Amino acid sequence: MSQSHLDDLFAYVEERCLWQFFSRTWDREENIEGVLNQVGRLLTGQEPLRGTPQERLFYADALAMANDVRERFSWASQVNKEEIAFLIDGLKSRLVDVTITRSTNRELNHHLY
């Protein structure tokens, strides 16, 4: 995996994807995991999960992202399934670190919300 590919994906998500900024820690974790799992499935040619309303929501966000990734980044069509999985896992880790672990938003874990 190329660090530059991970940097490309992270910059894209930071700029274009609001699902990473839901109001609570559990929402952010759920969205990061759900959307990026679907993106990984789409980029590797697997059938996306659409059995529940939540899976369909993740799929809708993932479809737009996967299409954009294919259009914007020429390397996306050249990486294999293992590399995609590695990129998705790295992206999840980085997003959790930035949007949850190092977030200064105290409402993420406020007990009254």
Side-chain angles (χ1 to χ4, degrees):
M1 175 201 78
S2 168
Q3 184 64 38
S4 67
H5 296 167
L6 181 56
D7 293 342
D8 289 343
L9 290 176
F10 182 74
Y12 170 84
V13 171
E14 269 194 314
E15 178 185 322
R16 311 276 305 170
C17 302
L18 293 176
W19 46 259
Q20 66 175 315
F21 294 118
F22 273 45
S23 59
R24 303 292 169 256
T25 294
W26 64 269
D27 277 332
R28 290 181 182 195
E29 290 169 340
E30 190 175 78
N31 280 300
I32 289 168
E33 188 72 20
V35 172
L36 292 180
N37 284 344
Q38 294 278 48
V39 169
R41 294 180 74 82
L42 291 167
L43 291 177
T44 58
Q46 297 175 24
E47 186 66 28
L49 303 174
R50 292 179 279 196
T52 67
Q54 189 74 354
E55 288 172 342
R56 288 190 293 276
L57 176 64
F58 294 149
Y59 168 70
D61 287 329
L63 184 59
M65 182 177 170
N67 288 337
D68 276 354
V69 166
R70 286 184 190 112
E71 280 183 27
R72 291 169 184 252
F73 307 116
S74 60
W75 55 259
S77 63
Q78 301 167 358
V79 293
N80 62 38
K81 287 183 180 186
E82 292 78 25
E83 292 170 301
I84 293 291
F86 197 74
L87 284 169
I88 295 297
D89 287 345
L91 183 55
K92 286 179 191 177
S93 294
R94 192 180 290 186
L95 286 170
V96 167
D97 182 53
V98 170
T99 66
I100 298 170
T101 306
R102 292 190 291 142
S103 175
T104 58
N105 181 349
R106 298 173 113 193
E107 290 184 5
L108 285 177
N109 297 304
H110 196 283
H111 72 282
L112 295 177
Y113 293 113

